[in-house]
């Protein structure tokens, strides 16, 4: 758990960046492509922002989307996503940046406090947000290779754990994320997305109801 000083810094950063989102063309365009007419819902529910005026230590993230990691006791981390129209992996080595020393956490853990007898696990924040907007309680995992025993303990007790397997990466999502994770979690059911899709792209093309139908939770 972050110290009180760290929590205050994260809360200040998140609040500042959230205010900067409104009217930012890059961010609004990116979110509209991801969430359609529900992009404002996503921005509001997940306190998304833009690093327009970075706090000390965040200078390298200027212009990026900020994605807070919210817990019932406050914000415990922030990730950043490049919004520029270029090959992020060749420029930054990754599209999503985790500040040094922040560590890996489950995303959207507030969904663990809902009353459904199932939970879904997505790879990454945007897919977790998409699944949540479809009415499915969902946490975002940093990847099977970064999975911690503490994460397993956090989602014990569910009758079913749906694990999304991306199908836009030549089987990597199934072989390196979903299947290894299924071996760690009781009650797991792997949900392989149709060819060429991850959770978000599937919903963009087919709608939120189609995702619920894919899981069979209607």
């Amino acid at each position: 758990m972050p110290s009180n000083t760290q929590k205050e810094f994260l809360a200040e950063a998140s609040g500042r960046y959230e205010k900067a989102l409104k009217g930012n063309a890059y961010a609004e365009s990116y979110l509209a492509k991801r969430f359609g007419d529900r992009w404002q819902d996503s921005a509001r529910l997940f306190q998304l922002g833009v690093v327009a005026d970075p706090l000390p230590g965040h200078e390298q993230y200027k212009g990026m989307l900020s994605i807070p990691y919210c817990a019932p006791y406050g914000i415990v981390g922030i990730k950043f996503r490049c919004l520029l129209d270029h090959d992020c992996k060749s420029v930054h080595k990754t599209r999503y940046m985790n500040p040094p020393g922040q560590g890996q956490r489950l995303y959207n853990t507030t969904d663990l406090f809902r009353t459904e007898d199932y939970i879904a696990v997505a790879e990454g924040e945007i897919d977790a947000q998409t699944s949540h907007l479809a009415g499915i309680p969902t946490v975002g995992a940093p990847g099977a290779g970064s999975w911690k025993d503490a994460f397993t303990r956090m989602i014990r007790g569910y009758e079913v754990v749906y694990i999304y397997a991306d199908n836009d990466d030549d089987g990597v999502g199934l072989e390196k994320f979903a299947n290894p994770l299924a071996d760690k979690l009781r009650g797991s059911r792997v949900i392989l997305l149709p060819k060429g899709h991850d959770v978000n792209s599937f919903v963009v093309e087919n709608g939120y109801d189609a995702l619920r139908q894919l899981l069979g939770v209607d």
Side-chain angles (χ1 to χ4, degrees):
M1 183 184 299
S3 67
N4 287 337
T5 300
Q6 289 172 315
K7 286 169 64 177
E8 291 171 2
F9 174 82
L10 291 168
E12 181 182 355
S14 177
R16 176 183 295 192
Y17 304 154
E18 186 178 5
K19 289 179 182 177
L21 176 66
K22 186 177 181 180
N24 184 286
Y26 282 111
E28 291 186 354
S29 175
Y30 171 78
L31 294 175
K33 289 178 182 177
R34 292 287 191 164
F35 300 106
D37 60 5
R38 297 201 63 188
W39 74 264
Q40 290 177 311
D41 292 336
S42 181
R44 174 179 53 81
L45 288 169
F46 298 101
Q47 302 178 41
L48 304 180
V50 172
V51 188
D53 180 20
L55 288 181
H58 287 172
E59 293 85 358
Q60 67 269 42
Y61 310 119
K62 187 171 183 178
M64 295 185 181
L65 186 74
S66 64
I67 306 174
Y69 272 55
C70 304
Y73 48 84
I75 295 171
V76 295
I78 303 177
K79 271 192 177 180
F80 302 93
R81 206 278 186 194
C82 181
L83 294 172
L84 296 178
D85 187 17
H86 63 200
D87 185 353
C88 299
K89 289 189 175 181
S90 66
V91 177
H92 311 292
K93 297 184 180 179
T94 179
R95 290 187 293 269
Y96 293 86
M97 277 142 273
N98 199 35
Q102 183 166 271
Q104 299 286 1
R105 297 179 179 273
L106 276 183
Y107 178 69
N108 195 38
T109 54
T110 53
D111 268 9
L112 297 173
F113 294 86
R114 290 171 53 164
T115 59
E116 289 90 343
D117 60 3
Y118 66 90
I119 191 82
V121 182
E123 188 173 8
E125 298 84 9
I126 297 298
D127 280 356
Q129 291 174 24
T130 303
S131 182
H132 173 95
L133 288 174
I136 301 164
T138 308
V139 293
S146 301
W147 190 263
K148 300 177 181 179
D149 290 342
F151 299 165
T152 301
R153 292 193 293 271
M154 291 170 71
I155 58 177
R156 280 178 180 163
Y158 287 96
E159 185 175 323
V160 181
V161 179
Y162 297 103
I163 304 172
Y164 292 114
D166 294 348
N167 200 1
D168 59 353
D169 50 13
D170 297 322
V172 173
L174 184 64
E175 295 175 6
K176 293 190 176 181
F177 177 72
N179 284 343
L181 199 52
D183 291 337
K184 302 175 186 288
L185 303 173
R186 295 182 62 182
S188 59
R189 297 183 189 175
V190 172
I191 304 297
L192 180 63
L193 275 297
K195 183 66 176 177
H197 286 293
D198 59 16
V199 174
N200 181 259
S201 67
F202 176 78
V203 168
V204 167
E205 184 170 307
N206 299 281
Y208 290 99
D209 287 344
L211 188 65
R212 293 182 61 83
Q213 292 169 7
L214 189 66
L215 269 63
V217 295
D218 277 341

